[in-house]
Amino acid sequence: MKIPQNLPRFSDYTREEALRLLLEKEYGCPPPQPDTLEFHVVRREEDAFAGKAVHATVEAWVTFQGRGFSFPFHLVCPKAGQPVPGVVLLNFTPAVPAPYLPSEELCDLGLAVASFHCGDVSPDNGDFTSKAGGLFQVDRSLPTAPGKLALWAWGASVVREYLAACPEIDQKAVAVAGHSRLGKTALLAGALDKRFQFVFANESGCSGAALYRGKQGETAADIQRVFPYWFSPSFASCTGDPEQLPFDQHFLLSLIAPRKLYVSSAAEDLWSDPAAEFLGCLAASPAFEAAGVPGLVGAGEEPQLGQACHQGNIGYHLRAGKHFLSREDWRQFAAYLFLHREK
Ligand code: GTR
């Protein structure tokens, strides 16, 4: 298991060029700035989760060119008496708590989590006429139109905007997090929005942290065939032979430098391919080093089961088990965040 020889070099591009390449060929161009953005707290529970936290339900109202749209999100913030790190979690359900969102445990870890259901920003299917797709009049006849990952990443930035005005949040320690398709989205949101100082991508696999070249399990052709709407229409012309791609996924990871990136894999998640996710981190490390910070540190050439590499600006762990955003993943990520949080 080695970094493929013919990997395109991120250092051949400026950051802007590399980002443009990924947007034009893979994810599509993100929506423009809306005309107005307002937040309305529609419910506030002062003593949530055994009285440990405040749980606010917020509606984000967005207008663009005379059209309007809103989506709900939740902020569960531990009562810490001082600012706490914040995490914007893209989730598969609006529920709080939820299987990937163990709210009480996350409060105990000292994290405030703002979560939203990706489907409330744009449904996870080929519909681009409702919600954010309708607001921005997404035209999928254009090759670089945004796919769903780009629309959901936009939603994460809207929620980040809300956190920016919250005194209970440590503004120097705000993460974007997601699992699987939403782990891919978290990486894209982190690449696009530098206000996320941490990016946590759990089992993001194909089109996430995993390199396309040499990847086992899901391939670029597989994902494009089943989920064409996650990507720009132009992506269809790129997925034939991964060896011919002008980029690979270490470009996406490199765009997060010099901030903090955390990638996690599960040993039995062969569809995502832990080795390919790990190699993505190794291949992105030079971009972090070029930015003056360490990339993945202390990892060796292969991921080790149970090992967690927390020292560098790329963190990584491989846990036992299947495709799931588990408590163990959250604990590792929280440990990484507190280790690297600026004092
Ligand atoms: C699968 C897809 C993966 C991953 C996963 C998920 O069907 O092939 O790339 O995104 O869905 O999001 O749960």
Side-chain angles (χ1 to χ4, degrees), residues 107-172:
C107 283
D108 293 344
L109 288 171
L111 300 177
V113 180
S115 60
F116 67 97
H117 176 212
C118 64
D120 283 332
V121 171
S122 189
D124 191 359
N125 56 36
D127 168 33
F128 284 87
T129 60
S130 66
K131 305 198 176 190
L135 177 76
F136 293 112
Q137 304 268 282
V138 170
D139 177 0
R140 292 281 292 176
S141 70
L142 299 173
T144 63
K148 294 294 167 139
L149 304 185
L151 294 182
W152 298 332
W154 169 82
S157 281
V158 170
V159 177
R160 176 67 183 90
E161 182 80 22
Y162 178 76
L163 293 187
C166 293
E168 61 273 39
I169 302 296
D170 175 356
Q171 296 303 323
K172 291 196 286 196

Side-chain angles (χ1 to χ4, degrees), residues 184 206-207 218-228 230-231:
K184 312 177 205 306
C206 190
S207 312
E218 187 173 35
T219 64
D222 292 330
I223 201 168
Q224 199 284 327
R225 190 179 57 252
V226 181
F227 304 108
W230 287 355
F231 304 95

Side-chain angles (χ1 to χ4, degrees), residues 264-340:
S264 40
S265 306
E268 290 181 53
D269 182 14
L270 302 180
W271 189 238
S272 294
D273 190 351
E277 293 172 332
F278 176 81
L279 288 180
C281 295
L282 277 188
S285 287
F288 283 72
E289 286 154 15
V293 297
L296 186 63
V297 171
E301 289 196 346
E302 300 203 348
Q304 303 293 325
L305 188 60
Q307 183 186 21
C309 303
H310 284 189
Q311 290 309 314
N313 280 38
I314 303 179
Y316 179 85
H317 75 252
L318 172 64
R319 67 157 169 79
K322 297 188 192 296
H323 193 65
F324 191 83
L325 174 49
S326 74
R327 267 92 172 145
E328 188 178 340
D329 298 312
W330 274 116
R331 277 196 300 273
Q332 293 282 11
F333 176 62
Y336 180 79
L337 198 158
F338 280 101
L339 178 68
H340 289 276

Side-chain angles (χ1 to χ4, degrees), residues 19-168:
L19 178 58
R20 195 172 338 118
L21 186 63
L22 291 187
L23 297 180
E24 288 181 355
K25 301 259 182 232
E26 191 173 17
Y27 301 109
C29 295
Q33 280 292 323
D35 296 331
T36 64
L37 174 57
E38 280 178 19
F39 299 103
H40 298 280
V41 178
V42 293
R43 185 163 183 267
R44 203 179 139 93
E45 192 184 342
E46 296 294 339
D47 287 312
F49 301 101
K52 297 180 204 179
V54 176
H55 177 176
T57 307
V58 186
E59 196 76 19
W61 281 91
V62 193
T63 66
F64 185 66
Q65 297 184 345
R67 293 178 296 277
F69 151 72
S70 77
F71 70 94
F73 63 91
H74 294 265
L75 174 60
V76 175
C77 187
K79 297 176 187 169
Q82 57 185 359
V84 291
V87 181
V88 175
L89 174 71
L90 295 124
N91 211 354
F92 294 85
T93 162
V96 177
Y100 297 155
L101 178 61
S103 301
E104 186 187 348
E105 285 98 323
L106 295 174
C107 283
D108 293 344
L109 288 171
L111 300 177
V113 180
S115 60
F116 67 97
H117 176 212
C118 64
D120 283 332
V121 171
S122 189
D124 191 359
N125 56 36
D127 168 33
F128 284 87
T129 60
S130 66
K131 305 198 176 190
L135 177 76
F136 293 112
Q137 304 268 282
V138 170
D139 177 0
R140 292 281 292 176
S141 70
L142 299 173
T144 63
K148 294 294 167 139
L149 304 185
L151 294 182
W152 298 332
W154 169 82
S157 281
V158 170
V159 177
R160 176 67 183 90
E161 182 80 22
Y162 178 76
L163 293 187
C166 293
E168 61 273 39

